[in-house]
Amino acid sequence: RAKAGSGNTYEFYVNSMGMDAMDSLRLEGALRRALERDEFQLHYQPQVDIATGTVVGVEALLRWQPQGGAMVPPGDFIPLAEQTGLIVPIGDWVLATACAQQKAWREAGLPPLTVSVNLSARQFQRQDLVELVARLVRETGCDPRYLALEITETDVMENPQAAVAIFRQLNEMGVQLAIDDFGTGYSSLSYLKRFPIDSLKIDRSFVHDITHDIDDATIVHSVIALAHSMHLKVVAEGVEDARQLQFLREHGCDQMQGYYVSKPVPASAIEAMMQRTRAAA
Ligand code: C2E
Ligand code: MG
Ligand code: MG
Ligand code: MG
């Protein structure tokens, strides 16, 4: 089996995910069957308001468990799903499932939770994205004000002009919008100012070292100031300990998510968590 850097000619067939041609064909086949076999799940990671300590939202994160196999993390199959276009039906399933879950939580009497859904570049470029979101909101009966869509900075800045138009229509529908992995791409500030978005999510690579790397601390501090100057909320990703949280609180970061509070968990665990906090209050 060819591995990157093995020095033989097979390495030409090794793609960016470190797989050879056979591996990726096999993966593609399995991925094509995964939807009909019902092998996908959404896990949800709580998002906490830093000032009040309350869970105000959750991010939906895709999980794939092939029959009889181990859980495959999204980083291992989303790039291939993007390349093959399979991300479109998979993404539709994610959006529909997250909308239905939001509605179910509302009906169960849970305090309102904003459910965030990740969109990939391919989904964002769809001509019918706005219609699709409108239709799913209608069909599931979810509240669009508590639905957020996350698009990475890199994907948005590939065609910021088109993004402005799409964001406007989604914003008119009442849906919230967030730029994900902020700081890893190159944002045009003039565009950023024109986007009718709600929040910036600071990439976890910056949060990781904030308490001991002065450069990362400066970046996080600057992103918070930039976002606030544009009346945007800031969400920190990947918060793993109390000192990172303390830094973020001192610098006025609005929300956070990370293993310090909770890993992404199944919907039932979110319900249990919300009922516990309500009982405690
Ligand atoms: P993302 O949207 O930036 O999601 C955050 C990732 O950071 C998640 O990884 C989450 O589990 C992880 N994370 C959260 N807190 C911590 C922490 O404290 N420490 C560490 N080390 N990691 C933390 P995950 O679930 O593996 O997802 C990876 C990426 O895959 C996501 O990054 C997103 O870009 C993509 N993805 C996930 N679900 C979907 C989906 O439904 N559709 C699309 N298009 N992309 C998705
Ligand atoms: Mg995200
Ligand atoms: Mg992110
Ligand atoms: Mg990411």
Side-chain angles (χ1 to χ4, degrees):
R1 189 166 127 119
K3 282 277 169 260
S6 59
N8 60 37
T9 52
Y10 296 112
E11 73 186 80
F12 290 113
Y13 300 108
V14 175
N15 66 20
S16 59
M17 285 174 284
M19 291 186 301
D20 61 39
M22 274 312 292
D23 279 345
S24 76
L25 272 178
R26 219 174 284 128
L27 179 65
E28 185 183 335
L31 203 51
R32 281 191 188 285
R33 293 183 293 272
L35 264 181
E36 55 199 64
R37 291 187 177 181
D38 206 19
E39 292 171 348
F40 291 117
Q41 287 173 45
L42 290 184
H43 280 189
Y44 299 88
Q45 187 175 42
Q47 298 176 317
V48 173
D49 179 289
I50 294 178
T52 64
T54 32
V55 177
V56 289
V58 292
E59 178 174 9
L61 293 155
L62 185 58
R63 299 290 179 261
W64 177 27
Q65 185 150 30
Q67 276 168 24
M71 193 83 87
V72 186
D76 287 1
F77 67 89
I78 284 179
L80 187 69
E82 274 268 299
Q83 284 164 37
T84 55
L86 284 168
I87 193 68
V88 172
I90 296 172
D92 287 0
W93 179 87
V94 170
L95 204 49
T97 305
C99 287
Q101 186 61 69
Q102 188 238 61
K103 162 84 170 172
W105 280 331
R106 214 150 42 89
E107 289 200 322
L110 254 58
L113 288 175
T114 295
V115 177
S116 293
V117 176
N118 293 284
L119 289 186
S120 67
R122 190 90 169 225
Q123 290 173 280
F124 194 58
Q125 287 154 9
R126 281 176 72 163
Q127 294 302 313
D128 60 346
L129 175 69
V130 176
E131 271 165 63
L132 172 77
V133 174
R135 180 168 62 78
L136 289 176
V137 163
R138 219 171 35 240
E139 285 175 4
T140 59
C142 87
D143 184 338
R145 294 167 305 167
Y146 292 99
L147 174 65
L149 299 176
E150 299 188 358
I151 301 105
T152 65
E153 180 182 33
T154 312
D155 288 347
V156 169
M157 289 300 163
E158 224 166 79
N159 190 349
Q161 192 112 39
V164 173
I166 300 164
F167 283 157
R168 283 212 180 114
Q169 297 176 67
L170 291 168
N171 181 56
E172 272 166 26
M173 223 187 282
V175 169
Q176 296 181 48
L177 299 163
I179 307 285
D180 204 354
D181 299 353
F182 191 80
T184 59
Y186 299 90
S187 271
S188 151
L189 294 186
S190 63
Y191 271 110
L192 201 57
K193 211 174 60 185
R194 289 171 52 194
F195 292 152
I197 56 173
D198 300 274
S199 51
L200 297 183
K201 297 189 70 173
I202 305 180
D203 191 70
R204 68 181 153 87
S205 60
F206 300 110
V207 174
H208 192 257
D209 292 325
I210 36 174
T211 53
H212 48 264
D213 182 325
I214 185 77
D215 295 328
D216 286 348
T218 305
I219 289 168
V220 170
H221 180 119
S222 310
V223 170
I224 294 170
L226 172 77
H228 285 169
S229 77
M230 295 185 179
H231 307 289
L232 302 175
K233 274 182 315 196
V234 196
V235 183
E237 310 185 304
V239 176
E240 293 185 354
D241 62 50
R243 292 178 60 217
Q244 292 166 343
L245 175 57
Q246 182 58 24
F247 179 98
L248 294 164
R249 185 184 285 120
E250 280 167 5
H251 289 83
C253 184
D254 303 283
Q255 292 178 15
M256 63 91 153
Q257 59 187 97
Y259 295 170
Y260 183 59
V261 171
S262 170
K263 290 195 171 185
V265 291
S268 56
I270 295 289
E271 272 147 51
M273 182 184 298
M274 296 305 287
Q275 265 140 17
R276 266 201 313 277
T277 50
R278 200 200 270 167

